[in-house]
Amino acid sequence: MSAEQVIPRLAITAGEPAGIGPDILLSAATQPHDAQLIAIGSEAVLAERAKQLGLDIAFTPYSSTDEVMPHVPGTLPLIDIPASAAVTPGTPDPDNARHVLALLDQAVSLCKARECDAMVTAPLHKGVINDAGIPFSGHTEYLRDATGADHVVMLLASGSLRVALATTHLPLSRVPAAITAEHLGDTLTVLNRDLRSKFGIAKPRITVLGLNPHAGEGGHLGTEERDVIEPVCQAL
């Protein structure tokens, strides 16, 4: 990395403590990265998991005054947020649901304060959080509410292919009603804008998939394409 390149500081949540999140985070800590990794999780859980995985990781308390530098393999700056209940790998406990959300809240706080440039989230268990009595449909919606965003878009990316979702975390039976002209238009507008501003694509080529088999077959296999999707595309 040249001296002119900016080193991003990334807040990484450990996710569900009984799940695969701690393993992923610890594995990442063993590798070099052109970014500074700031872990957010339970030091006790991460240390025990590292021992079980045979990984030698040195945890250091994170401070906002730390120099921004590329990640050093085998080390992990950490914001320690203890788990609420004992952790058994493979057995999520609803008593740790608020701990999982506290990790997200800390990462959001760091990003909103521009202390971190982005956040990376390890997997969590939506069902366990709901079992704790906390309505939760996913990271996407939680971060929308935490940041006061008007409209969020989930984007999956691999190589040169990027796929934006028109709906997120809904039962399949509720998807057709959620594809409204306003919602789809907002999603495509955000997608077009951010492909330009965040991905540096001067003229994004956006294709829109149909909802029904054969894109509704002219209304014979569903009318969402004819009544909503095609008019929005034409208008945009």
Side-chain angles (χ1 to χ4, degrees):
M1 172 175 286
S2 68
E4 293 77 19
Q5 288 180 283
V6 176
I7 302 171
R9 178 179 272 175
L10 307 179
I12 308 180
T13 63
E16 166 56 52
I20 197 68
D23 305 53
I24 296 172
L25 177 53
L26 292 166
S27 178
T30 67
Q31 305 167 38
H33 301 279
D34 289 335
Q36 185 178 39
L37 309 187
I38 308 301
I40 305 174
S42 164
E43 181 172 1
V45 169
L46 290 170
E48 176 61 25
R49 194 70 57 87
K51 180 180 178 182
Q52 293 170 341
L53 295 171
L55 299 177
D56 185 13
I57 305 292
F59 300 99
T60 58
Y62 165 72
S63 170
S64 59
T65 60
D66 289 350
E67 178 186 0
V68 180
M69 57 185 293
H71 177 71
V72 177
T75 67
L76 193 59
L78 173 68
I79 296 176
D80 180 25
I81 299 181
S84 304
V87 174
T88 301
T91 308
D93 187 339
D95 286 343
N96 278 321
R98 295 196 180 278
H99 161 77
V100 173
L101 297 182
L103 308 184
L104 284 177
D105 292 340
Q106 178 65 70
V108 168
S109 177
L110 291 172
C111 289
K112 289 177 71 174
R114 301 195 181 281
E115 189 171 326
C116 285
D117 299 288
M119 62 186 291
V120 181
T121 59
L124 47 71
H125 194 303
K126 302 178 184 65
V128 170
I129 296 174
N130 281 276
D131 287 343
I134 306 170
F136 184 88
S137 58
H139 281 109
T140 310
E141 297 79 9
Y142 191 84
L143 296 177
R144 175 198 61 203
D145 296 341
T147 59
D150 293 328
H151 190 87
V152 291
V153 177
M154 183 186 295
L155 182 73
L156 312 177
S158 177
S160 61
L161 177 65
R162 298 168 180 83
V163 179
L165 307 185
T167 62
T168 59
H169 302 130
L170 285 177
L172 187 58
S173 61
R174 291 172 52 191
V175 169
I179 301 179
T180 64
E182 180 181 11
H183 182 82
L184 183 59
D186 288 345
T187 296
L188 289 168
T189 298
V190 169
L191 176 63
N192 180 63
R193 181 193 69 206
D194 286 3
L195 286 175
R196 295 171 185 266
S197 64
K198 293 182 171 57
F199 288 85
I201 302 174
K203 295 183 178 180
R205 179 176 181 266
I206 300 173
T207 60
V208 181
L209 302 182
L211 172 68
N212 298 292
H214 306 286
E217 202 72 76
H220 295 285
L221 288 178
T223 61
E224 285 82 7
E225 292 81 8
R226 182 192 66 194
D227 296 342
V228 178
I229 300 175
E230 290 181 14
V232 168
C233 291
Q234 291 170 2
L236 293 176

